[in-house]
Amino acid sequence: ERQQLGQEAVADLLKALVPTLDHLDLAVGAEAPEATRRQGLGLIRRGLLGTLEGRGLTVDDPLGQPFDPERHQAVSHEENALPEGRVVRVLARGFAWRERLLRPALVVVSRGSGLPGGDSGTTTAVN
C-alpha cells in the first residue's frame, strides 16, 4: 500500500511537470528575438518553480542574512563594509522539502572590515 501511494505521488508530480516540458520544447524551437525568448524562459521558470513549491519545495535565497551553517555552505569569505558573518553573495540558492534540506545555499560570507569605520576600501557587487 505504501509503495502504491509513493508511485501515485511520483506520477502526480510527473503529470504536473509535463506542461513545463511542452513549453520548453516550444521555446527551443521558437524563431523569436532574444528578448522574447528570455521572457518566455522566465515564464517557464516561474511555472516550474510554482509547481514545485506547490508540492512543498522551499527556496532559500539568503542574501544579506546572517550565515547559518545549518542551511548555507560558505565557499569563500570576503572583506567588505558589511558586518562579519553576513551573506554578501549567493552563488546557488538552497532548497528544502518539508523541512528536509535538499541542498544548502552556496554563499560568500562577509569577513567584515579590518579598517576603522567599517570601510575596507573594497566593494562587493550584490545582486
Side-chain angles (χ1 to χ4, degrees):
E1 200 172 300
R2 268 206 245 169
Q3 186 178 14
Q4 180 65 28
L5 286 173
Q7 288 177 350
E8 287 177 19
V10 170
D12 178 57
L13 176 61
L14 295 174
K15 183 178 176 182
L17 292 175
V18 167
T20 301
L21 288 174
D22 292 339
H23 294 139
L24 282 171
D25 288 340
L26 290 171
V28 168
E31 299 276 337
E34 182 66 24
T36 302
R37 187 179 295 235
R38 288 177 69 88
Q39 184 178 18
L41 289 173
L43 291 171
I44 293 168
R45 182 188 169 285
R46 280 193 294 278
L48 175 60
L49 189 56
T51 297
L52 296 174
E53 286 177 334
R55 282 157 178 78
L57 184 76
T58 55
V59 180
D60 183 18
D61 190 356
L63 185 63
Q65 297 176 6
F67 175 74
D68 178 353
E70 297 291 322
R71 300 179 315 135
H72 310 143
Q73 180 179 344
V75 295
S76 69
H77 291 83
E78 184 173 289
E79 282 192 26
N80 57 43
L82 295 175
E84 185 171 344
R86 290 281 179 175
V87 174
V88 295
R89 265 188 284 153
V90 177
L91 304 175
R93 296 179 303 165
F95 294 92
W97 181 70
R98 296 185 178 174
E99 305 297 322
R100 178 181 174 192
L101 185 65
L102 300 176
R103 181 182 79 190
L106 304 178
V107 300
V108 176
V109 180
S110 174
R111 195 178 289 169
S113 170
L115 299 177
D119 185 10
S120 66
T122 61
T123 59
T124 302
V126 179
N127 297 330

